[in-house]
């Protein structure tokens, strides 16, 4: 019997609010240490938390976008533990009465979504450690999945989709490098079909690469232990990016007893139906739904559609290009291949990109009308990316226009036939390879500007 991995993920996402969850301090990333703090988020005795309405709104939006049931009454609880970056001695979170439960992303079920505050950050310099409390009190949602994931690839796909949804809904900026989105992976293995094995929890994975590598390492580690007759101990582990390994952080015996209890400084969180309905109306079309629409309405492949919805600005750009070009297939090809390539090469995002959907649409129309050929179009596109000029202007400046008037091409073809009577004779007598020579003469006659397809067809027709 083979081994099967079982994985459940806890994703922490910073809510995109301007201010913290229980005070009015700013949440902006990168400020000088300890400049965005006040008595509430510094944990001074007697300071009282006041819940940020916007944070609740964003958490509800996340819950709606993942198909969760939102509970009209939830409870903030104190999660007690000591750590230098947690000045109050407890984190305000939700425990047995979370904001939302029971959603899904694809075939991964979501157990719960609750709100909580982030802790500060410890910064270690050799022998000395510093604490920056700017992050303390930043609003978070924790999104906990059921153990429905079976591999590192599935975990990656789940977090990718979750991150897309959070970014589309503007709940979270999705910036993993800045810690706006972090992931804990719970991993166990079992013989296929057996009941759940003992899990290890790997903390704080802040990139997709680390997530995959930590899970793969952990699966292999557990299988090796079990195959040599050992047992897995339930524990919390840390991933070391340098070695690609996970190692024990604390065992079950050392696990914290958080002594949760309802925070006496905060009333239960009550959200009424009307407000939830209002927030529901602000949830935009989600990436998956958008991709399905592209396949249905534009006849795109699943792969193309998926690539075009990876971010909301990209999908918006694509749709605007469909509009301006009147050619969905063409728009999909140009955006997927050329636009993404240039953005990648020049490390640009769409906001600063000179080739607007309107300009790209006009370029596609120039191709579709036969005014320029495929090779010229690439040249126009690269020029547009660099100069920001209009496509028509570039065609003019570079003399890239092509002749697609059949009458003009026919006229030129007649002249070529007249002037090359010998070759024409030989071609008609069966020397088929001379056709290429004659096409070459026709292209020369039109200074390379004849629409190649038309040139071929007309010449073939005139040669009989
Ligand atoms: P805790 O609060 O101690 O982290 P939870 O019950 O909230 O524990 O579970 C946390 C995560 O662990 C969830 O994502 C859940 O799906 C996952 N999980 C639970 N049991 C297992 C298991 N045996 N193997 C893998 N993941 C598991
Ligand atoms: Mg946990
Ligand atoms: Zn504060």
């Amino acid at each position: 019997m083979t081994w099967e991995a079982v994985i459940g993920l806890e994703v922490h996402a910073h809510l995109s609010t301007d201010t913290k969850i229980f005070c009015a301090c700013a949440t902006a990333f990168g400020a000088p240490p300890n400049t965005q703090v006040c008595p509430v988020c510094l944990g001074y005795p007697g300071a009282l938390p006041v819940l940020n309405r916007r944070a609740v709104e964003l958490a509800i939006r996340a819950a709606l976008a993942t198909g969760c049931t939102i509970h009209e009454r939830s409870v903030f609880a104190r999660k007690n533990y000591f750590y230098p970056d947690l000045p109050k001695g407890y984190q305000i979170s939700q425990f047995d009465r979370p904001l939302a439960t029971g959603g899904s992303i694809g075939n991964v079920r979501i157990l719960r979504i609750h709100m909580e505050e982030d802790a500060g950050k410890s910064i270690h310099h050799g022998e000395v450690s510093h604490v920056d409390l700017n992050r303390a009190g930043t609003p978070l949602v924790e999104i906990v999945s059921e153990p429905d994931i079976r591999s590192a690839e599935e975990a990656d796909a789940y977090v990718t989709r979750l991150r897309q949804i959070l970014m589309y809904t503007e709940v979270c900026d999705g910036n993993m490098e800045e810690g706006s989105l972090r992931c804990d992976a719970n991993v166990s293995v079992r013989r296929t079909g057996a009941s759940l094995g003992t899990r290890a929890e790997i903390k704080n994975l802040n990139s997709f690469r680390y997530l995959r590598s930590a899970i793969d390492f952990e699966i292999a580690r557990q299988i090796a232990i079990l195959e040599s007759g050992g047992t897995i101990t339930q524990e919390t582990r840390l991933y070391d990016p340098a070695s690609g390994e996970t190692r024990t952080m604390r065992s079950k015996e050392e696990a914290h007893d958080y002594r949760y209890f309802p925070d006496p400084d905060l009333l239960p969180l009550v959200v009424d139906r009307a407000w939830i309905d209002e927030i529901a109306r602000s949830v935009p079309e989600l990436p998956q739904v958008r991709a399905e629409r592209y396949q249905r309405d534009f006849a795109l492949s699943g792969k193309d559609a998926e690539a075009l919805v990876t971010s909301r600005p990209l999908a918006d750009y694509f749709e605007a290009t469909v509009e301006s070009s009147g050619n969905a297939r063409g728009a999909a090809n140009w955006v997927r291949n050329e636009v993404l390539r240039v953005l990648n090469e020049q490390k640009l995002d769409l906001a600063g990109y000179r080739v607007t959907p309107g300009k790209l649409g006009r370029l596609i129309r120039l191709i579709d009308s036969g005014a320029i050929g495929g090779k010229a179009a690439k040249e126009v596109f690269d020029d547009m990316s660099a100069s920001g000029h209009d496509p028509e202007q570039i065609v003019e400046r570079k003399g890239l226009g092509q002749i697609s008037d059949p009458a003009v091409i026919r006229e030129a073809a007649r002249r070529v036939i007249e002037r090359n009577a010998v070759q024409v004779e030989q071609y008609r007598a069966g020397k088929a390879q001379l056709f290429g020579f004659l096409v070459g003469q026709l292209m020369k006659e039109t200074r390379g500007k004849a629409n190649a397809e038309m040139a071929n067809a007309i010449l073939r027709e005139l040669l009989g």
Side-chain angles (χ1 to χ4, degrees):
M1 267 205 291
T2 54
W3 294 100
E4 175 181 64
V6 174
I7 302 155
L9 297 178
E10 297 164 76
V11 172
H12 291 86
H14 275 175
L15 298 171
S16 295
T17 54
D18 294 333
T19 55
K20 294 186 181 179
I21 184 167
F22 297 119
C23 62
C25 291
T27 53
F29 180 84
N34 300 307
T35 55
Q36 294 170 346
V37 291
C38 76
V40 174
C41 54
L42 289 173
Y44 283 16
L48 288 173
V50 177
L51 181 59
N52 181 339
R53 183 182 169 90
R54 177 79 179 151
V56 179
E57 184 184 332
L58 294 179
I60 290 174
R61 210 190 280 169
L64 288 168
T66 48
C68 289
T69 303
I70 291 149
H71 302 293
E72 292 186 32
R73 193 182 177 91
S74 60
V75 173
F76 284 103
R78 290 187 181 180
K79 181 180 182 179
N80 299 281
Y81 64 98
F82 173 81
Y83 206 74
D85 63 18
L86 189 77
K88 289 200 296 290
Y90 59 86
Q91 176 193 25
I92 303 177
S93 181
Q94 293 185 314
F95 182 52
D96 51 354
R97 305 280 308 262
L99 176 70
T101 52
S104 66
I105 293 179
N107 50 15
V108 178
R109 290 167 299 157
I110 290 172
L111 194 62
R112 55 187 272 145
I113 297 185
H114 66 255
M115 299 183 70
E116 62 187 26
E117 58 179 342
D118 207 348
K121 226 190 289 187
S122 298
I123 301 155
H124 308 289
H125 310 272
E127 299 279 284
V128 190
S129 288
H130 295 170
V131 177
D132 177 6
L133 293 172
N134 282 349
R135 201 178 68 181
T138 298
L140 287 172
V141 277
E142 178 171 337
I143 302 166
V144 184
S145 86
E146 297 273 7
D148 289 344
I149 297 161
R150 294 290 172 269
S151 66
E153 290 67 39
E154 283 182 27
D156 185 301
Y158 165 80
V159 178
T160 298
R161 277 179 72 177
L162 175 56
R163 179 169 173 268
Q164 273 176 14
I165 289 170
L166 296 175
M167 291 171 74
Y168 261 69
T169 50
E170 294 174 333
V171 165
C172 173
D173 66 24
N175 192 329
M176 296 176 86
E177 268 160 51
E178 293 181 359
S180 298
L181 197 106
R182 316 190 289 267
C183 195
D184 300 341
N186 296 271
V187 180
S188 65
V189 298
R190 64 178 174 190
R191 294 290 186 182
T192 306
S195 54
L196 287 180
T198 305
R199 71 183 152 116
E201 178 174 358
I202 311 155
K203 283 282 183 198
N204 260 329
L205 300 163
N206 66 350
S207 83
F208 284 102
R209 196 158 56 85
Y210 295 170
L211 175 70
R212 288 193 307 268
S213 143
I215 289 173
D216 279 335
F217 177 85
E218 189 56 26
I219 293 170
R221 185 188 72 87
Q222 293 185 15
I223 292 174
I225 291 174
L226 293 172
E227 290 202 326
S228 63
T231 50
I232 306 298
T233 41
Q234 186 171 336
E235 60 184 359
T236 304
R237 300 177 70 86
L238 277 181
Y239 172 72
D240 175 12
S243 64
E245 299 179 350
T246 67
R247 60 186 150 75
T248 303
M249 180 178 160
R250 55 176 181 259
S251 66
K252 198 180 181 181
E253 289 69 45
E254 303 159 279
H256 295 131
D257 173 4
Y258 294 118
R259 295 171 294 117
Y260 280 101
F261 62 88
D263 192 312
D265 288 341
L266 287 158
L267 290 167
L269 170 57
V270 177
V271 295
D272 60 52
R273 249 317 114 192
W275 193 35
I276 296 172
D277 292 343
E278 189 189 319
I279 296 168
R281 283 192 291 275
S282 76
V283 176
E285 186 182 32
L286 296 172
Q288 205 65 24
V289 178
R290 227 166 161 169
E292 280 158 22
R293 178 163 60 81
Y294 292 175
Q295 291 178 64
R296 196 177 55 240
D297 293 0
F298 302 146
L300 298 188
S301 69
K303 226 173 157 193
D304 278 341
E306 206 114 303
L308 290 165
V309 301
T310 50
S311 82
R312 198 168 153 189
L314 182 69
D316 288 345
Y317 182 97
F318 163 66
E319 284 187 36
T321 307
V322 173
E323 186 89 357
S324 63
S325 66
N327 175 351
R329 252 266 60 88
N333 286 337
W334 278 91
V335 173
R336 249 206 98 173
N337 302 323
E338 301 304 315
V339 173
L340 288 181
R341 174 182 60 80
V342 170
L343 293 179
N344 221 352
E345 279 169 11
Q346 306 187 1
K347 307 259 168 292
L348 275 176
D349 61 29
L350 279 168
Y353 188 45
R354 304 176 108 156
V355 182
T356 59
K359 284 183 182 159
L360 183 56
R362 273 152 57 201
L363 173 63
I364 295 170
R365 282 186 188 276
L366 288 174
I367 305 161
D368 290 348
S369 70
I372 56 173
K375 215 170 133 232
K378 289 254 158 58
E379 201 176 330
V380 174
F381 178 80
D382 285 338
D383 193 312
M384 279 206 293
S385 293
S387 68
H389 292 164
D390 289 339
E392 298 82 358
Q393 193 186 343
I394 296 165
V395 170
E396 180 81 24
R397 164 157 54 79
K398 295 196 147 165
L400 291 170
Q402 85 182 346
I403 303 169
S404 341
D405 181 344
V408 176
I409 297 176
R410 193 177 298 270
E411 222 15 76
R414 286 215 175 89
R415 289 197 297 276
V416 167
I417 289 172
E418 239 171 66
R419 244 183 279 131
N420 298 280
V422 178
Q423 287 86 346
V424 168
E425 195 66 19
Q426 290 174 345
Y427 170 77
R428 286 189 170 135
K431 219 170 163 192
Q433 68 269 35
L434 277 171
F435 186 71
F437 165 79
L438 292 166
V439 169
Q441 293 304 303
L442 175 52
M443 292 313 281
K444 216 164 154 189
E445 180 70 16
T446 57
R447 297 204 311 284
K449 293 195 171 166
N451 176 320
E453 216 171 294
M454 282 184 163
N456 269 278
I458 288 171
L459 198 57
R460 212 175 276 285
E461 177 202 321
L462 292 180
L463 288 171

